[in-house]
Amino acid sequence: MGGDEGLVVRKIRHGTVIDHIPAGRALRVLRLLGATLGGGRRIAIVINAESRKLGRKDIVKIEGLEPRVEDLDRIALVAPTATVNIVRDYRVVVKRKVEPPAEVRGILRCANPTCITRKPGEPVTPRFRLVSRDPLEYQCVYCGSILGEREIVEQLGGPAPL
Ligand code: CTP
Ligand code: ZN
């Protein structure tokens, strides 16, 4: 039975519930989904809900949207613990844990200022390989620098909104 962890937020009829987001990162998840969301959609955000597994968690409910696989991969980078539930006719029809992609191209920036991917006028697309899931760590394919979860979250979601 899915509870709403003490705060009354209605069940949705059709759409997506992104659950088990690390506490405080809901707005970053929404920012990442920005272009996909479009305007006029009904969205519920719960920040710092109680969670048995995580202590605290955030939840995002988006009416009328079923995200694409690329979107889920990006969500995994800021919310590696998230579960994505697709809801149709009030029922959860798909429940999937997000999966940090084995390789990331072009979304992240290498932290090493002398890396070839940061040379001005050098059109080398940054590439990173997943080296750890928890905590999340990616390694630059070109210079070997490690990008940690905190830097990844900041690069993709901007500074902490809360
Ligand atoms: N949910 C919703 N609207 C629905 C169905 C589910 O908003 N029509 C929400 C629930 O409130 C919950 C999430 O979607 O936050 C997942 O629902 P469910 O699988 O029923 O809950 P749990 O079994 O608690 O999920 P998990 O095992 O992933 O924690
Ligand atoms: Zn590099």
Side-chain angles (χ1 to χ4, degrees), residues 67-137:
R68 301 164 304 172
V69 176
E70 309 93 86
D71 298 326
L72 300 186
D73 281 354
R74 287 194 302 160
I75 292 169
L77 295 175
V78 298
T81 53
T83 309
V84 177
N85 300 275
I86 307 293
V87 174
R88 292 185 195 140
D89 254 323
Y90 289 104
R91 278 205 212 103
V92 175
V93 294
V94 178
K95 184 187 287 286
R96 186 168 170 272
K97 276 208 51 94
V98 297
E99 185 69 34
E103 190 177 296
V104 172
R105 284 175 188 247
I107 310 175
L108 299 169
R109 187 171 106 118
C110 184
N112 168 13
T114 64
C115 180
I116 189 165
T117 60
R118 292 189 49 184
K119 287 230 169 76
E122 197 95 33
V124 179
T125 306
R127 276 173 62 194
F128 295 88
R129 285 206 192 97
L130 181 67
V131 290
S132 162
R133 273 159 209 266
D134 190 14
L136 202 58
E137 276 181 359

Side-chain angles (χ1 to χ4, degrees), residues 18-22 51 53-54 57-59 79-83 85:
I18 306 170
D19 199 356
H20 307 295
I21 298 169
S51 158
K53 280 184 239 170
L54 301 174
K57 67 171 181 181
D58 290 1
I59 308 166
T81 53
T83 309
N85 300 275

